[in-house]
Amino acid sequence: MGEVKPTILIHGGAWAIPDHLVKDSVDGVKIAATVGYSVLNKENGTALDAVEAAICSLEENPAFDAGTGAVLNAAGDVALDAIIMEGKELRTGSIACVQNIKNPVKLARLVMEKTDHVMLVGQGANIFAKEMGVPEVPKTDLVTPEAVKYWEEYSKYKEAVHDLFNNKIKGAQGHDTVGAVAIDRQGNVACATSTGGITGKRVGRVGDSPLIGSGGYCDNALGAASTTGHGESIMKVLLARLVLQNIQTGLSTQTAAERALEYMEQRVGGAGGVIAINNKGEIGKHFTTERMPWATISEETLEYGIEPKDHYRETMTKS
């Protein structure tokens, strides 16, 4: 296969995003796509470095439920999950239920590159972070007033699930995972996903985001996918892997994403969103919630949206 056009695609979570967060959400994914593409478009830019950089941008943006801006669990604490994966050798790093870490995706990459493991959780992940010299930040640096407000309103997990997820179908509201997929000039793909979970979740609860095959999956033979939505539903159908399975049958990337979400809704009644890219650089994005901010860049062209019918395009100014 000849040289592939470097392409990156970002999502900022599929849920019933309130009107007052729409602009910040769209701006956030556009910035993250630009950050990731600036890495990807270098002469030796890699998809892995690009998705990490894009997710770091989103984790540091309080508009999103990942890193700074993450929601609070039942105990009023921040518990963060993330995954990063590359498609050449299927190397993966994942962390779950970590606290006081500004960029969980960076810690996930350290798991991938500095251990023989795929996933570390809880106290063990925080101990590993200290060993790697990853600085801890106080909880106050990660918590926003909006997160506190949501926690006070939904102090019990079952109430949050009922009010946020059971509006029409599970996952229609209340989830704000961030994700990225990319392909570089060498044809290598990568994915990354990061989240703070759901407000009021039970202490120790882990959703789909850090689970290989659920929150993200990639393989150079097929492509890459990152998911968002009702975590328990996504886990039951291995949504990210399902998208790539659909690509493997010969479906376009867009149709593969649509069919995967249709299956999840029909099979387990869950809603969510998917971004995907195949090994030719063709993208797909779909969501069954009210809104999902997304942005993609290829050949110096930025495309983005948040509503189901949105598809805006801007030509980037070369620096």
Side-chain angles (χ1 to χ4, degrees):
M1 185 171 62
E3 189 173 278
V4 180
K5 294 177 295 186
T7 303
I8 191 165
L9 174 59
I10 310 293
H11 76 72
W15 60 298
I17 298 170
D19 292 343
H20 73 275
L21 282 180
V22 166
K23 184 179 186 304
D24 287 346
S25 298
V26 173
D27 289 347
V29 292
K30 289 169 65 177
I31 291 169
T34 303
V35 168
Y37 187 73
S38 68
V39 173
L40 187 65
N41 203 36
K42 294 177 180 177
E43 184 176 350
N44 297 313
T46 69
L48 187 63
D49 289 342
V51 296
E52 179 185 6
I55 294 299
C56 283
S57 173
L58 294 164
E59 288 175 339
E60 293 167 11
N61 187 329
F64 301 102
D65 174 22
T68 303
V71 299
L72 305 179
N73 65 14
D77 292 323
V78 173
L80 304 169
D81 307 330
I83 190 172
I84 190 166
M85 184 176 185
E86 60 83 32
K88 185 177 182 180
E89 299 174 355
L90 306 188
R91 293 181 301 145
T92 310
S94 172
I95 53 94
C97 291
V98 299
Q99 296 182 323
N100 305 103
I101 300 297
K102 183 178 181 181
N103 292 117
V105 73
K106 285 184 174 289
L107 184 57
R109 184 162 181 178
L110 286 171
V111 172
M112 179 179 77
E113 296 183 338
K114 302 296 184 181
T115 79
D116 295 325
H117 309 306
V118 167
M119 188 177 196
L120 294 177
V121 303
Q123 183 181 8
N126 275 104
I127 291 171
F128 172 69
K130 289 180 181 179
E131 292 174 358
M132 292 293 103
V134 177
E136 289 196 351
V137 297
K139 186 177 87 171
T140 52
D141 284 6
L142 301 175
V143 176
T144 62
E146 188 152 30
V148 173
K149 184 186 78 169
Y150 284 144
W151 181 74
E152 290 172 347
E153 291 175 355
Y154 304 106
S155 59
K156 294 181 181 179
Y157 178 60
K158 62 181 180 180
E159 293 177 359
V161 169
H162 180 268
D163 293 342
L164 295 177
F165 283 157
N166 288 344
N167 177 27
K168 193 174 181 180
I169 47 180
K170 289 177 288 187
Q173 297 188 13
H175 203 82
D176 203 9
T177 300
V178 299
V181 295
I183 190 168
D184 58 34
R185 285 186 174 86
Q186 288 70 45
N188 295 313
V189 297
C191 67
T193 307
S194 182
T195 190
I198 176 180
T199 296
K201 63 186 179 181
R202 181 181 290 275
V203 174
R205 180 263 188 185
V206 177
D208 66 290
S209 296
L211 301 184
I212 186 171
S214 293
Y217 196 78
C218 64
D219 185 335
N220 280 5
L222 298 169
S226 172
T227 70
T228 172
H230 183 239
E232 280 69 16
S233 296
I234 291 171
M235 287 187 278
K236 290 172 183 177
V237 300
L238 292 173
L239 186 60
R241 187 64 184 88
L242 180 58
V243 175
L244 296 194
Q245 180 180 315
N246 288 344
I247 290 174
Q248 192 170 15
T249 67
L251 295 178
S252 70
T253 315
Q254 180 62 36
T255 303
E258 292 171 1
R259 294 277 177 85
L261 284 168
E262 287 170 4
Y263 177 81
M264 186 172 79
E265 181 176 340
Q266 293 167 1
R267 191 70 178 86
V268 295
V274 165
I275 58 170
I277 190 166
N278 69 9
N279 61 1
K280 299 176 184 177
E282 299 163 344
I283 67 166
K285 57 194 168 10
H286 189 58
F287 53 99
T288 53
T289 56
E290 291 184 29
R291 289 168 169 158
M292 183 185 79
W294 62 271
T296 183
I297 302 178
S298 184
E299 296 186 300
E300 308 297 333
T301 299
L302 168 67
E303 300 173 67
Y304 61 94
I306 188 168
E307 305 284 353
K309 301 295 184 181
D310 282 355
H311 200 121
Y312 302 106
R313 181 178 287 107
E314 297 176 5
T315 300
M316 299 175 65
T317 302
K318 293 185 179 181
S319 55

